[in-house]
Amino acid sequence: MVPWIVPICQIKLKNIIKVVQSTGLTAVSTICDQSPTNVNAINKLYKETNEKYNKEDKENRAFGFEIETQNTFISFESSSLSSLVYHDGKVEGRKEILGTKDKIE
């Protein structure tokens, strides 16, 4: 992966969401195909949001990231969901792309 691609992807995603917001619409969710570039860009946006909340001494309880004051959730395309592994009737998997290693249950 080329190191300069992630910041460009992150900037483009932020700008697209800002443009959507400027029209009066709400960008409720983004769709991630879990490619390394997209995952890294999403991780950086999520980290920025957590840093903002930490500075305000608050907890980010959302499953996503914030652009301006709007929370944007992360969705996964269906073919990416096949990377989840089933154990004892529970789904464990890819929550680590959001900066934690918690199980998805």
Side-chain angles (χ1 to χ4, degrees), residues 19-30:
V19 167
V20 169
Q21 291 173 344
S22 73
T23 67
L25 297 173
T26 302
V28 175
S29 180
T30 61

Side-chain angles (χ1 to χ4, degrees), residues 19-77:
V19 167
V20 169
Q21 291 173 344
S22 73
T23 67
L25 297 173
T26 302
V28 175
S29 180
T30 61
I31 298 174
C32 179
D33 65 1
Q34 295 188 26
S35 74
T37 302
N38 293 340
V39 168
N40 286 328
I42 295 290
N43 276 338
K44 288 183 181 293
L45 291 170
Y46 189 72
K47 184 179 177 182
E48 281 180 6
T49 300
N50 281 336
E51 288 171 355
K52 174 190 166 203
Y53 276 84
N54 286 339
K55 285 180 185 176
E56 297 172 356
D57 213 16
K58 296 179 182 177
E59 181 183 0
N60 178 13
R61 300 179 59 92
F63 188 72
F65 54 88
E66 201 171 271
I67 304 292
E68 304 288 323
T69 59
Q70 179 187 321
N71 200 330
T72 303
F73 297 94
I74 301 161
S75 300
F76 302 100
E77 64 164 311

